[in-house]
Amino acid sequence: MSIREALNWRYATKKMNGEKVPQEKVDQIIAAAHLAPTSSGLQPFKVIVVSNPEWKEKIKAIAYGQAQITDCSHLLIFAAWDNYTEERVRGVYAHANKERGLPDSANADFVNSMVANFTSMSPEQSFTHAAKQAYIGFGVAITEAAVLKVDATPMEGFDATKLDELLDLKSLGLRSTTLLPLGYRDEAGDWLVKLKKVRTPLADFLIEYK
Amino acid sequence: MSIREALNWRYATKKMNGEKVPQEKVDQIIAAAHLAPTSSGLQPFKVIVVSNPEWKEKIKAIAYGQAQITDCSHLLIFAAWDNYTEERVRGVYAHANKERGLPDSANADFVNSMVANFTSMSPEQSFTHAAKQAYIGFGVAITEAAVLKVDATPMEGFDATKLDELLDLKSLGLRSTTLLPLGYRDEAGDWLVKLKKVRTPLADFLIEYK
């Protein structure tokens, strides 16, 4: 299935049927988010995968009781770094140099300038910037899920502060940004699947400088 | 090509060879961004496509002289709404109702609650929220480009204030968020293509609640 067909097929699934998504497909969706590009390659986010029913119940309670959280097969939580620190930035490039067989001296000036740039932001600016990178991975994961014919519900509607507390994300230097329940649509029970997909007219979406 | 293969093939192209991307492929990449999901379906961003060489030169000058801006075939600019207004929010749902053959009375309570939610944000909060939605479309567009074997360079490195002024985005209620030059890699002239793609170890990226 092409991406265009997949994106036309997908919709923000409101009712899932509880069927399990094969681990292989979950892995592919996570791999897509993991391969997504991010600013200067920092990958300032993680994906938390919740398949445990008790944890799903706890999370549902702080996501306005939305049924997809418990009806889904796997719940993905995208959580971004709460701050850019010198240690984190240096850690990413040290790992890349090791993987590439390069000494850290090979790009020390570049790394120093990245440290200076990223640590000049306030924690709130840092988190906003990191969260945007998580949204790139979120978009890529949604696309991969659709291509694999796995339904998903992109969600911002939850109490992020409470979710961060529940999962003790602060101790990991993370803050939650979005949720993505993965599963399969319950066609009969879902009001949204029956409605035509609508987008802004392309003529309004696109501006051209030819 | 699968998404996984495509994402492994792609990289932030540093040197493009000036070859034109066929219009059909550009259209498919834009269609992917256009179909991307956004918060409550508001699609609070637009894509500006620049193929005009003079405009590309002007934009390059406020993007630290990065050569991809002029070596690319088409430059995409993702620009988000500068604010959520009642008119904009109502306009989106009025269009959706029209497309679905529904009277506006069908979901008036829902629309009123969306207006209340979205207009409760400050302009800066609104723009940040809208920009995150643009990043979803950005991620989807990058993925589609890679699947089509079109190279792209995701870029945040430009002076957004100057770009907004140059394109008079304020008059359109927009602010620029990211750039995406599309084109084809110049293998011989690109230092980055030779380096191994590196990502955070999956074990550090993934947290599981089984």
Side-chain angles (χ1 to χ4, degrees):
Chain A
M1 188 157 58
S2 74
I3 286 184
R4 193 175 195 150
E5 287 166 330
L7 292 173
N8 273 307
W9 171 83
R10 69 153 296 282
Y11 72 111
T13 307
K14 299 300 177 193
K15 181 69 186 158
M16 292 186 173
N17 65 10
E19 199 184 316
K20 277 271 164 223
V21 177
Q23 189 61 44
E24 187 198 326
K25 290 194 177 185
V26 176
D27 291 346
Q28 279 183 266
I29 294 162
I30 293 164
H34 184 238
L35 280 167
T38 53
S39 177
S40 306
L42 288 177
Q43 286 188 275
F45 72 99
K46 293 185 192 289
V47 172
I48 303 163
V49 186
V50 184
S51 52
N52 178 295
E54 286 167 32
W55 280 102
K56 287 201 265 180
E57 282 293 347
K58 287 180 196 173
I59 295 168
K60 182 186 183 178
I62 52 181
Y64 313 114
Q66 292 175 90
Q68 303 96 317
I69 309 246
T70 45
D71 292 342
C72 76
S73 167
H74 294 71
L75 172 67
L76 307 191
I77 302 167
F78 287 72
W81 288 1
D82 59 0
N83 201 3
Y84 288 114
T85 64
E86 176 163 358
E87 188 188 356
R88 283 175 149 173
V89 174
R90 289 201 185 280
V92 169
Y93 296 118
H95 171 67
N97 284 340
K98 203 175 148 193
E99 287 287 311
R100 289 167 172 167
L102 296 172
D104 282 345
S105 58
N107 57 4
D109 288 351
F110 166 77
V111 173
N112 287 336
S113 75
M114 288 296 108
V115 168
N117 282 345
F118 281 96
T119 61
S120 71
M121 289 189 242
S122 71
E124 199 56 36
Q125 288 173 324
S126 292
F127 170 65
T128 296
H129 185 269
K132 287 175 179 171
Q133 313 310 313
Y135 273 73
I136 297 175
F138 187 57
V140 175
I142 292 165
T143 307
E144 177 69 302
V147 167
L148 298 173
K149 284 237 168 189
V150 172
D151 280 301
T153 320
M155 284 186 176
E156 288 179 332
F158 62 98
D159 186 325
T161 306
K162 285 189 182 161
L163 184 57
D164 296 354
E165 283 168 13
L166 178 70
L167 303 179
D168 194 19
L169 294 188
K170 194 176 180 181
S171 73
L172 302 172
L174 299 171
R175 291 168 62 182
S176 54
T177 64
T178 52
L179 305 182
L180 192 67
L182 302 175
Y184 295 102
R185 63 187 70 177
D186 173 356
E187 292 256 0
D190 194 326
W191 60 270
L192 187 56
V193 72
K194 299 168 188 79
L195 292 180
K196 178 183 172 186
K197 182 182 281 291
V198 178
R199 289 292 183 266
T200 306
L202 192 61
D204 294 339
F205 178 76
L206 188 61
I207 300 169
E208 292 183 281
Y209 284 72
K210 281 190 179 173
Chain B
M1 187 155 59
S2 74
I3 286 184
R4 193 173 194 152
E5 287 166 331
L7 292 173
N8 272 308
W9 171 83
R10 67 154 297 281
Y11 72 111
T13 307
K14 301 300 177 191
K15 181 70 185 158
M16 292 185 172
N17 64 12
E19 200 184 315
K20 276 271 165 223
V21 177
Q23 189 61 45
E24 188 198 326
K25 290 195 177 186
V26 176
D27 290 346
Q28 279 182 264
I29 295 162
I30 291 164
H34 184 237
L35 280 166
T38 54
S39 179
S40 306
L42 287 177
Q43 286 189 274
F45 71 99
K46 292 185 192 289
V47 172
I48 303 163
V49 185
V50 183
S51 52
N52 179 295
E54 285 167 34
W55 280 102
K56 287 200 264 180
E57 282 292 348
K58 286 180 197 173
I59 294 167
K60 182 185 183 179
I62 53 180
Y64 313 114
Q66 292 175 90
Q68 303 96 317
I69 309 248
T70 45
D71 291 343
C72 76
S73 167
H74 293 72
L75 172 66
L76 308 190
I77 302 167
F78 287 71
W81 289 0
D82 58 0
N83 200 2
Y84 288 114
T85 65
E86 175 162 359
E87 188 187 357
R88 283 175 150 174
V89 174
R90 288 200 186 281
V92 169
Y93 295 119
H95 170 66
N97 284 339
K98 203 175 150 194
E99 287 287 311
R100 289 168 172 167
L102 296 173
D104 282 345
S105 59
N107 57 2
D109 288 350
F110 167 76
V111 173
N112 287 336
S113 74
M114 289 296 108
V115 168
N117 283 345
F118 281 95
T119 60
S120 70
M121 290 189 242
S122 71
E124 199 56 36
Q125 287 172 323
S126 292
F127 169 66
T128 297
H129 185 270
K132 287 176 179 171
Q133 313 310 312
Y135 273 73
I136 297 175
F138 188 56
V140 175
I142 293 165
T143 307
E144 177 68 302
V147 166
L148 298 173
K149 284 235 169 191
V150 172
D151 279 301
T153 319
M155 283 185 175
E156 288 179 332
F158 62 98
D159 186 324
T161 305
K162 285 189 182 162
L163 183 56
D164 296 353
E165 282 169 13
L166 179 70
L167 303 179
D168 194 19
L169 294 188
K170 195 176 180 180
S171 73
L172 302 171
L174 298 172
R175 291 168 62 182
S176 54
T177 63
T178 52
L179 305 182
L180 192 66
L182 301 175
Y184 295 102
R185 62 187 70 177
D186 174 355
E187 291 256 1
D190 194 327
W191 59 271
L192 188 55
V193 73
K194 298 167 189 79
L195 291 180
K196 178 183 172 187
K197 181 183 282 292
V198 178
R199 290 291 182 265
T200 306
L202 191 62
D204 294 338
F205 179 76
L206 187 62
I207 299 168
E208 292 183 279
Y209 284 73
K210 281 191 179 172

